[in-house]
Amino acid sequence: GAVVSQHPSRVICKSGTSVKIECRSLDFQATTMFWYRQFPKQSLMLMATSNEGSKATYEQGVEKDKFLINHASLTLSTLTVTSAHPEDSSFYICSARTGRASYEQYFGPGTRLTVT
Amino acid sequence: DAKTTQPTSMDCAEGRAANLPCNHSTISGNEYVYWYRQIHSQGPQYIIHGLKNNETNEMASLIITEDRKSSTLILPHATLRDTAVYYCIVRVVNNAGNMLTFGGGTRLMVKP
């Protein structure tokens, strides 16, 4: 149980285009989803927290107009990187959390974004 | 959440026990110790967690000192597939406003 998937696993896009990454909780309802970014040889950095049906809360330094997050249902959250630039190339990881018990977080496999 | 301190890297021989330390001297009474690992280019994988008693599951054992200011994750028989970055995190559970915050972790290299 508690499986989180991401799609796509890898994406290459040209500078200036937008890319959408999907995060799904496959066997549970996720009231909260988190988006992390990880640069090579660095730790995971939290970008934003989203609750189903409400606006995402962004961490300091993360541009909300550049990283659009939609959490329209209890099993799906999307991250859209708008007008991507090479410096946005990174490993993006989502995490989903149930709304009950110990509020455990479950992680997706990650999406490798390369902007050329 | 309380901050944790871990060695940057460690080596371990295949088949031997890997003991990964973590200091969390400012841990609060209601904070649990969690361990995750991240194999290269994958998402973090939950390993184990505990409050004050030692814990064991099919993956590892967690030893927490009596004062709870430090802990050790033990992989009893390390394999090459255990090569990963191991993160020690302390967090409050049963708190909707609380998410996992990752530090630098320990890069464990299991060698043949």
Short mmCIF file of all heavy atoms in Angstrom, two decimals, chain A residues 10 32 34 36 38 41-46 49 59 91 93 95 97 101-110 112, chain B residues 34 36 38 40-46 49 87 91-105 107:
data_model
loop_
_atom_site.label_atom_id
_atom_site.label_comp_id
_atom_site.label_asym_id
_atom_site.label_seq_id
_atom_site.Cartn_x
_atom_site.Cartn_y
_atom_site.Cartn_z
N ARG A 10 11.25 11.03 -16.82
CA ARG A 10 12.28 11.89 -17.39
C ARG A 10 11.66 12.77 -18.45
O ARG A 10 10.77 12.33 -19.17
CB ARG A 10 13.39 11.07 -18.06
CG ARG A 10 14.27 10.29 -17.14
CD ARG A 10 15.29 9.50 -17.95
NE ARG A 10 16.25 8.85 -17.06
CZ ARG A 10 17.38 9.41 -16.67
NH1 ARG A 10 17.70 10.61 -17.10
NH2 ARG A 10 18.20 8.76 -15.87
N THR A 32 -2.76 16.09 1.54
CA THR A 32 -1.65 17.02 1.37
C THR A 32 -0.59 16.40 0.49
O THR A 32 -0.27 15.23 0.64
CB THR A 32 -1.02 17.40 2.72
OG1 THR A 32 -2.04 17.91 3.59
CG2 THR A 32 0.06 18.46 2.56
N PHE A 34 3.37 17.31 -1.26
CA PHE A 34 4.54 18.16 -1.17
C PHE A 34 5.36 18.01 -2.45
O PHE A 34 5.46 16.92 -3.01
CB PHE A 34 5.41 17.76 0.02
CG PHE A 34 4.68 17.71 1.33
CD1 PHE A 34 4.10 16.55 1.77
CD2 PHE A 34 4.59 18.85 2.12
CE1 PHE A 34 3.42 16.50 2.98
CE2 PHE A 34 3.92 18.81 3.34
CZ PHE A 34 3.33 17.63 3.77
N TYR A 36 9.27 18.60 -3.81
CA TYR A 36 10.66 18.83 -3.46
C TYR A 36 11.48 18.95 -4.74
O TYR A 36 11.14 18.41 -5.77
CB TYR A 36 11.23 17.68 -2.63
CG TYR A 36 10.63 17.48 -1.25
CD1 TYR A 36 9.42 16.81 -1.07
CD2 TYR A 36 11.31 17.93 -0.11
CE1 TYR A 36 8.90 16.60 0.20
CE2 TYR A 36 10.79 17.73 1.16
CZ TYR A 36 9.59 17.06 1.30
OH TYR A 36 9.08 16.87 2.56
N GLN A 38 15.66 18.63 -6.04
CA GLN A 38 16.97 18.15 -5.61
C GLN A 38 17.99 18.36 -6.72
O GLN A 38 17.86 17.78 -7.81
CB GLN A 38 16.90 16.67 -5.24
CG GLN A 38 18.19 16.12 -4.66
CD GLN A 38 18.03 14.67 -4.22
OE1 GLN A 38 17.28 13.91 -4.83
NE2 GLN A 38 18.73 14.30 -3.16
N LYS A 41 23.98 16.01 -6.07
CA LYS A 41 24.79 15.90 -4.85
C LYS A 41 24.29 16.79 -3.72
O LYS A 41 25.04 17.09 -2.78
CB LYS A 41 26.26 16.20 -5.14
CG LYS A 41 26.89 15.22 -6.13
CD LYS A 41 28.38 15.36 -6.19
CE LYS A 41 28.99 14.43 -7.23
NZ LYS A 41 28.69 13.01 -6.96
N GLN A 42 23.05 17.21 -3.78
CA GLN A 42 22.47 17.99 -2.70
C GLN A 42 21.26 17.27 -2.12
O GLN A 42 20.78 16.28 -2.68
CB GLN A 42 22.05 19.38 -3.20
CG GLN A 42 23.22 20.25 -3.62
CD GLN A 42 22.79 21.67 -3.96
OE1 GLN A 42 21.75 22.15 -3.50
NE2 GLN A 42 23.57 22.34 -4.78
N SER A 43 20.79 17.77 -1.00
CA SER A 43 19.64 17.16 -0.34
C SER A 43 18.34 17.66 -0.97
O SER A 43 18.34 18.55 -1.83
CB SER A 43 19.66 17.50 1.15
OG SER A 43 18.67 16.77 1.83
N LEU A 44 17.24 17.07 -0.56
CA LEU A 44 15.94 17.50 -1.04
C LEU A 44 15.56 18.83 -0.38
O LEU A 44 15.71 19.00 0.83
CB LEU A 44 14.85 16.48 -0.68
CG LEU A 44 14.80 15.19 -1.46
CD1 LEU A 44 15.87 14.22 -1.00
CD2 LEU A 44 13.42 14.54 -1.31
N MET A 45 15.06 19.74 -1.20
CA MET A 45 14.59 21.02 -0.70
C MET A 45 13.11 21.14 -0.96
O MET A 45 12.65 21.00 -2.09
CB MET A 45 15.34 22.17 -1.39
CG MET A 45 16.83 22.18 -1.11
SD MET A 45 17.21 22.39 0.64
CE MET A 45 16.55 24.03 0.92
N LEU A 46 12.34 21.43 0.08
CA LEU A 46 10.91 21.57 -0.07
C LEU A 46 10.61 22.83 -0.87
O LEU A 46 11.12 23.91 -0.56
CB LEU A 46 10.24 21.64 1.30
CG LEU A 46 8.72 21.78 1.31
CD1 LEU A 46 8.06 20.52 0.76
CD2 LEU A 46 8.22 22.06 2.72
N THR A 49 3.86 23.18 -0.47
CA THR A 49 2.90 22.27 0.13
C THR A 49 1.53 22.58 -0.44
O THR A 49 1.15 23.76 -0.50
CB THR A 49 2.86 22.45 1.65
OG1 THR A 49 4.18 22.24 2.18
CG2 THR A 49 1.88 21.49 2.30
N GLU A 59 7.53 27.74 -0.31
CA GLU A 59 8.65 28.07 0.56
C GLU A 59 9.32 29.36 0.08
O GLU A 59 9.20 29.74 -1.09
CB GLU A 59 9.66 26.92 0.58
CG GLU A 59 9.10 25.65 1.19
CD GLU A 59 8.68 25.79 2.63
OE1 GLU A 59 9.54 26.17 3.47
OE2 GLU A 59 7.49 25.57 2.92
N PHE A 91 15.98 17.36 -10.25
CA PHE A 91 15.19 16.16 -9.94
C PHE A 91 14.04 16.63 -9.06
O PHE A 91 14.25 17.19 -7.99
CB PHE A 91 16.09 15.17 -9.20
CG PHE A 91 15.54 13.77 -9.08
CD1 PHE A 91 15.05 13.10 -10.18
CD2 PHE A 91 15.55 13.11 -7.86
CE1 PHE A 91 14.56 11.80 -10.09
CE2 PHE A 91 15.06 11.81 -7.75
CZ PHE A 91 14.57 11.16 -8.86
N ILE A 93 10.69 15.76 -6.92
CA ILE A 93 10.10 14.63 -6.20
C ILE A 93 8.84 15.09 -5.49
O ILE A 93 8.86 16.12 -4.80
CB ILE A 93 11.09 14.07 -5.15
CG1 ILE A 93 12.41 13.67 -5.81
CG2 ILE A 93 10.48 12.88 -4.40
CD1 ILE A 93 13.51 13.40 -4.81
N SER A 95 5.62 14.10 -2.80
CA SER A 95 5.32 13.29 -1.64
C SER A 95 3.87 13.51 -1.27
O SER A 95 3.36 14.63 -1.36
CB SER A 95 6.24 13.69 -0.48
OG SER A 95 5.92 12.98 0.69
N ARG A 97 0.65 12.69 1.56
CA ARG A 97 0.40 12.36 2.96
C ARG A 97 -1.09 12.18 3.19
O ARG A 97 -1.91 12.94 2.66
CB ARG A 97 0.93 13.49 3.85
CG ARG A 97 0.85 13.21 5.33
CD ARG A 97 1.50 14.33 6.12
NE ARG A 97 0.72 15.55 6.09
CZ ARG A 97 1.13 16.72 6.58
NH1 ARG A 97 2.34 16.81 7.11
NH2 ARG A 97 0.37 17.78 6.54
N ALA A 101 -4.18 9.38 11.15
CA ALA A 101 -3.16 8.63 11.89
C ALA A 101 -1.93 9.51 12.12
O ALA A 101 -2.03 10.61 12.61
CB ALA A 101 -2.82 7.31 11.19
N SER A 102 -0.78 9.01 11.77
CA SER A 102 0.46 9.73 12.08
C SER A 102 0.90 10.64 10.95
O SER A 102 2.02 11.15 10.99
CB SER A 102 1.57 8.72 12.39
OG SER A 102 1.76 7.86 11.29
N TYR A 103 0.04 10.88 9.99
CA TYR A 103 0.38 11.80 8.89
C TYR A 103 1.68 11.40 8.21
O TYR A 103 2.55 12.22 7.97
CB TYR A 103 0.49 13.25 9.41
CG TYR A 103 -0.82 13.78 9.93
CD1 TYR A 103 -1.08 13.80 11.29
CD2 TYR A 103 -1.79 14.26 9.06
CE1 TYR A 103 -2.29 14.28 11.77
CE2 TYR A 103 -2.99 14.73 9.53
CZ TYR A 103 -3.24 14.76 10.90
OH TYR A 103 -4.43 15.23 11.36
N GLU A 104 1.80 10.12 7.86
CA GLU A 104 3.02 9.66 7.22
C GLU A 104 3.10 10.19 5.79
O GLU A 104 2.10 10.37 5.11
CB GLU A 104 3.05 8.12 7.18
CG GLU A 104 3.03 7.46 8.55
CD GLU A 104 4.26 7.80 9.37
OE1 GLU A 104 5.25 8.30 8.80
OE2 GLU A 104 4.23 7.57 10.58
N GLN A 105 4.33 10.45 5.36
CA GLN A 105 4.58 10.89 3.99
C GLN A 105 5.13 9.76 3.16
O GLN A 105 6.01 9.02 3.62
CB GLN A 105 5.61 12.02 3.99
CG GLN A 105 5.04 13.39 4.21
CD GLN A 105 6.10 14.46 4.11
OE1 GLN A 105 6.43 15.11 5.09
NE2 GLN A 105 6.64 14.68 2.92
N TYR A 106 4.64 9.67 1.93
CA TYR A 106 5.10 8.65 1.00
C TYR A 106 5.61 9.36 -0.25
O TYR A 106 4.99 10.31 -0.73
CB TYR A 106 3.96 7.68 0.66
CG TYR A 106 3.36 7.04 1.89
CD1 TYR A 106 2.22 7.57 2.47
CD2 TYR A 106 3.97 5.95 2.48
CE1 TYR A 106 1.68 7.01 3.62
CE2 TYR A 106 3.43 5.38 3.63
CZ TYR A 106 2.29 5.92 4.19
OH TYR A 106 1.77 5.36 5.34
N PHE A 107 6.74 8.89 -0.77
CA PHE A 107 7.41 9.60 -1.85
C PHE A 107 7.23 8.93 -3.20
O PHE A 107 7.18 7.70 -3.29
CB PHE A 107 8.91 9.70 -1.54
CG PHE A 107 9.21 10.67 -0.43
CD1 PHE A 107 9.18 10.25 0.88
CD2 PHE A 107 9.50 11.99 -0.71
CE1 PHE A 107 9.44 11.14 1.92
CE2 PHE A 107 9.76 12.90 0.31
CZ PHE A 107 9.72 12.46 1.63
N GLY A 108 7.17 9.77 -4.22
CA GLY A 108 7.19 9.28 -5.58
C GLY A 108 8.61 8.98 -6.01
O GLY A 108 9.56 9.30 -5.31
N PRO A 109 8.76 8.40 -7.22
CA PRO A 109 10.08 8.01 -7.71
C PRO A 109 10.89 9.16 -8.28
O PRO A 109 12.07 9.00 -8.57
CB PRO A 109 9.75 6.98 -8.79
CG PRO A 109 8.39 7.39 -9.27
CD PRO A 109 7.67 7.92 -8.08
N GLY A 110 10.27 10.32 -8.44
CA GLY A 110 11.00 11.47 -8.95
C GLY A 110 10.89 11.64 -10.45
O GLY A 110 10.62 10.69 -11.19
N ARG A 112 13.14 13.53 -13.56
CA ARG A 112 14.36 14.23 -13.95
C ARG A 112 14.04 15.19 -15.08
O ARG A 112 13.65 14.76 -16.16
CB ARG A 112 15.40 13.21 -14.42
CG ARG A 112 16.68 13.81 -14.99
CD ARG A 112 17.60 14.30 -13.92
NE ARG A 112 17.95 13.26 -12.97
CZ ARG A 112 18.54 13.49 -11.80
NH1 ARG A 112 18.84 14.72 -11.44
NH2 ARG A 112 18.84 12.49 -11.00
N TYR B 34 13.09 9.40 12.55
CA TYR B 34 12.79 8.71 11.30
C TYR B 34 14.07 8.52 10.50
O TYR B 34 14.96 9.36 10.51
CB TYR B 34 11.83 9.54 10.44
CG TYR B 34 10.37 9.38 10.78
CD1 TYR B 34 9.84 9.96 11.94
CD2 TYR B 34 9.51 8.68 9.94
CE1 TYR B 34 8.50 9.81 12.25
CE2 TYR B 34 8.18 8.52 10.24
CZ TYR B 34 7.67 9.10 11.40
OH TYR B 34 6.34 8.95 11.70
N TYR B 36 15.17 7.56 6.48
CA TYR B 36 14.85 7.32 5.07
C TYR B 36 16.18 7.10 4.34
O TYR B 36 17.23 7.54 4.80
CB TYR B 36 14.16 8.53 4.43
CG TYR B 36 12.70 8.67 4.78
CD1 TYR B 36 12.32 9.20 6.02
CD2 TYR B 36 11.71 8.32 3.89
CE1 TYR B 36 10.98 9.34 6.35
CE2 TYR B 36 10.35 8.46 4.20
CZ TYR B 36 10.01 8.96 5.43
OH TYR B 36 8.69 9.10 5.75
N GLN B 38 17.88 7.18 0.16
CA GLN B 38 17.64 7.54 -1.22
C GLN B 38 18.74 6.91 -2.07
O GLN B 38 19.90 7.32 -1.97
CB GLN B 38 17.62 9.06 -1.41
CG GLN B 38 17.22 9.48 -2.81
CD GLN B 38 17.19 10.98 -2.98
OE1 GLN B 38 17.84 11.73 -2.26
NE2 GLN B 38 16.41 11.44 -3.96
N HIS B 40 20.42 6.33 -5.67
CA HIS B 40 20.68 7.30 -6.72
C HIS B 40 19.54 7.39 -7.73
O HIS B 40 19.08 6.39 -8.26
CB HIS B 40 21.98 6.93 -7.45
CG HIS B 40 22.34 7.91 -8.52
ND1 HIS B 40 22.63 9.23 -8.26
CD2 HIS B 40 22.43 7.77 -9.86
CE1 HIS B 40 22.91 9.85 -9.38
NE2 HIS B 40 22.79 8.99 -10.37
N SER B 41 19.07 8.63 -7.95
CA SER B 41 18.03 8.94 -8.93
C SER B 41 16.68 8.28 -8.62
O SER B 41 15.90 7.99 -9.54
CB SER B 41 18.48 8.55 -10.35
OG SER B 41 19.54 9.38 -10.74
N GLN B 42 16.42 8.03 -7.35
CA GLN B 42 15.11 7.53 -6.94
C GLN B 42 14.55 8.42 -5.84
O GLN B 42 15.26 9.24 -5.27
CB GLN B 42 15.23 6.09 -6.44
CG GLN B 42 15.69 5.09 -7.49
CD GLN B 42 15.70 3.66 -6.96
OE1 GLN B 42 14.98 3.32 -6.01
NE2 GLN B 42 16.49 2.81 -7.58
N GLY B 43 13.27 8.24 -5.54
CA GLY B 43 12.68 8.97 -4.43
C GLY B 43 13.09 8.35 -3.10
O GLY B 43 13.54 7.21 -3.04
N PRO B 44 12.98 9.11 -2.02
CA PRO B 44 13.33 8.57 -0.69
C PRO B 44 12.46 7.38 -0.33
O PRO B 44 11.28 7.32 -0.67
CB PRO B 44 13.06 9.75 0.24
CG PRO B 44 13.17 10.95 -0.63
CD PRO B 44 12.62 10.52 -1.96
N GLN B 45 13.07 6.45 0.38
CA GLN B 45 12.39 5.22 0.82
C GLN B 45 12.38 5.18 2.34
O GLN B 45 13.43 5.34 2.98
CB GLN B 45 13.12 4.00 0.26
CG GLN B 45 12.59 2.67 0.72
CD GLN B 45 13.48 1.50 0.32
OE1 GLN B 45 14.67 1.67 0.06
NE2 GLN B 45 12.92 0.31 0.26
N TYR B 46 11.22 4.98 2.92
CA TYR B 46 11.11 4.87 4.37
C TYR B 46 11.83 3.61 4.86
O TYR B 46 11.73 2.54 4.25
CB TYR B 46 9.64 4.82 4.77
CG TYR B 46 9.39 4.39 6.20
CD1 TYR B 46 9.51 5.29 7.24
CD2 TYR B 46 9.06 3.07 6.50
CE1 TYR B 46 9.27 4.90 8.56
CE2 TYR B 46 8.83 2.67 7.80
CZ TYR B 46 8.94 3.59 8.83
OH TYR B 46 8.72 3.19 10.12
N HIS B 49 11.21 4.02 12.03
CA HIS B 49 11.13 5.16 12.93
C HIS B 49 10.87 4.67 14.35
O HIS B 49 10.43 3.53 14.56
CB HIS B 49 10.06 6.15 12.48
CG HIS B 49 8.64 5.74 12.76
ND1 HIS B 49 7.95 4.84 11.97
CD2 HIS B 49 7.77 6.12 13.73
CE1 HIS B 49 6.74 4.68 12.43
NE2 HIS B 49 6.58 5.44 13.50
N TYR B 87 19.10 9.38 5.42
CA TYR B 87 18.68 10.61 6.10
C TYR B 87 18.04 10.29 7.45
O TYR B 87 17.13 9.46 7.53
CB TYR B 87 17.66 11.36 5.26
CG TYR B 87 18.17 11.88 3.94
CD1 TYR B 87 17.94 11.19 2.76
CD2 TYR B 87 18.89 13.07 3.87
CE1 TYR B 87 18.40 11.66 1.54
CE2 TYR B 87 19.35 13.55 2.66
CZ TYR B 87 19.11 12.85 1.51
OH TYR B 87 19.57 13.33 0.31
N ARG B 91 10.82 14.40 13.79
CA ARG B 91 9.60 15.14 13.51
C ARG B 91 8.51 14.76 14.50
O ARG B 91 8.51 13.69 15.09
CB ARG B 91 9.11 14.84 12.09
CG ARG B 91 8.66 13.42 11.86
CD ARG B 91 8.20 13.19 10.43
NE ARG B 91 6.90 13.76 10.17
CZ ARG B 91 5.80 13.02 10.01
NH1 ARG B 91 5.84 11.72 10.14
NH2 ARG B 91 4.65 13.61 9.73
N VAL B 92 7.56 15.66 14.63
CA VAL B 92 6.39 15.41 15.43
C VAL B 92 5.38 14.69 14.56
O VAL B 92 5.16 15.06 13.42
CB VAL B 92 5.78 16.74 15.94
CG1 VAL B 92 4.51 16.49 16.74
CG2 VAL B 92 6.80 17.51 16.78
N VAL B 93 4.78 13.65 15.09
CA VAL B 93 3.73 12.98 14.35
C VAL B 93 2.38 13.49 14.85
O VAL B 93 2.31 14.29 15.77
CB VAL B 93 3.82 11.45 14.50
CG1 VAL B 93 5.10 10.93 13.92
CG2 VAL B 93 3.68 11.03 15.93
N ASN B 94 1.34 13.05 14.19
CA ASN B 94 0.00 13.49 14.55
C ASN B 94 -0.13 15.01 14.48
O ASN B 94 -0.86 15.61 15.24
CB ASN B 94 -0.40 13.01 15.95
CG ASN B 94 -0.37 11.51 16.05
OD1 ASN B 94 -0.77 10.81 15.12
ND2 ASN B 94 0.12 11.01 17.15
N ASN B 95 0.60 15.60 13.56
CA ASN B 95 0.58 17.04 13.39
C ASN B 95 0.43 17.34 11.92
O ASN B 95 1.36 17.15 11.15
CB ASN B 95 1.86 17.66 13.95
CG ASN B 95 1.85 19.16 13.88
OD1 ASN B 95 1.13 19.76 13.10
ND2 ASN B 95 2.66 19.80 14.71
N ALA B 96 -0.74 17.83 11.53
CA ALA B 96 -1.00 18.05 10.12
C ALA B 96 -0.10 19.12 9.53
O ALA B 96 0.11 19.17 8.33
CB ALA B 96 -2.46 18.43 9.91
N GLY B 97 0.43 19.98 10.36
CA GLY B 97 1.25 21.06 9.83
C GLY B 97 2.72 20.70 9.70
O GLY B 97 3.55 21.55 9.40
N ASN B 98 3.04 19.46 9.92
CA ASN B 98 4.44 19.06 9.99
C ASN B 98 4.83 18.21 8.80
O ASN B 98 4.20 17.21 8.51
CB ASN B 98 4.65 18.26 11.28
CG ASN B 98 6.09 18.17 11.66
OD1 ASN B 98 6.80 17.30 11.22
ND2 ASN B 98 6.53 19.11 12.46
N MET B 99 5.89 18.62 8.07
CA MET B 99 6.35 17.83 6.94
C MET B 99 7.80 17.42 7.16
O MET B 99 8.47 17.90 8.06
CB MET B 99 6.21 18.62 5.63
CG MET B 99 7.20 19.77 5.47
SD MET B 99 6.92 21.14 6.57
CE MET B 99 5.46 21.83 5.81
N LEU B 100 8.28 16.52 6.33
CA LEU B 100 9.65 16.03 6.46
C LEU B 100 10.63 17.05 5.89
O LEU B 100 10.47 17.51 4.77
CB LEU B 100 9.80 14.70 5.73
CG LEU B 100 9.11 13.51 6.39
CD1 LEU B 100 9.08 12.34 5.44
CD2 LEU B 100 9.81 13.14 7.67
N THR B 101 11.63 17.38 6.67
CA THR B 101 12.68 18.30 6.25
C THR B 101 13.99 17.53 6.24
O THR B 101 14.39 16.96 7.25
CB THR B 101 12.77 19.50 7.20
OG1 THR B 101 11.50 20.15 7.25
CG2 THR B 101 13.83 20.47 6.72
N PHE B 102 14.66 17.54 5.10
CA PHE B 102 15.86 16.73 4.90
C PHE B 102 17.13 17.53 5.15
O PHE B 102 17.27 18.65 4.66
CB PHE B 102 15.88 16.16 3.48
CG PHE B 102 14.85 15.10 3.24
CD1 PHE B 102 13.54 15.45 2.97
CD2 PHE B 102 15.18 13.76 3.29
CE1 PHE B 102 12.57 14.48 2.77
CE2 PHE B 102 14.22 12.78 3.08
CZ PHE B 102 12.92 13.13 2.82
N GLY B 103 18.05 16.93 5.88
CA GLY B 103 19.39 17.48 6.04
C GLY B 103 20.30 16.88 4.99
O GLY B 103 19.85 16.39 3.97
N GLY B 104 21.60 16.90 5.28
CA GLY B 104 22.57 16.43 4.30
C GLY B 104 22.64 14.92 4.16
O GLY B 104 23.02 14.42 3.11
N GLY B 105 22.31 14.20 5.23
CA GLY B 105 22.36 12.74 5.17
C GLY B 105 23.77 12.19 5.18
O GLY B 105 24.77 12.93 5.15
N ARG B 107 26.19 9.53 3.11
CA ARG B 107 26.35 8.74 1.89
C ARG B 107 27.07 7.45 2.25
O ARG B 107 28.27 7.46 2.55
CB ARG B 107 27.14 9.54 0.85
CG ARG B 107 27.20 8.89 -0.53
CD ARG B 107 27.84 9.86 -1.52
NE ARG B 107 27.04 11.06 -1.68
CZ ARG B 107 26.02 11.19 -2.53
NH1 ARG B 107 25.70 10.18 -3.31
NH2 ARG B 107 25.35 12.34 -2.61
#
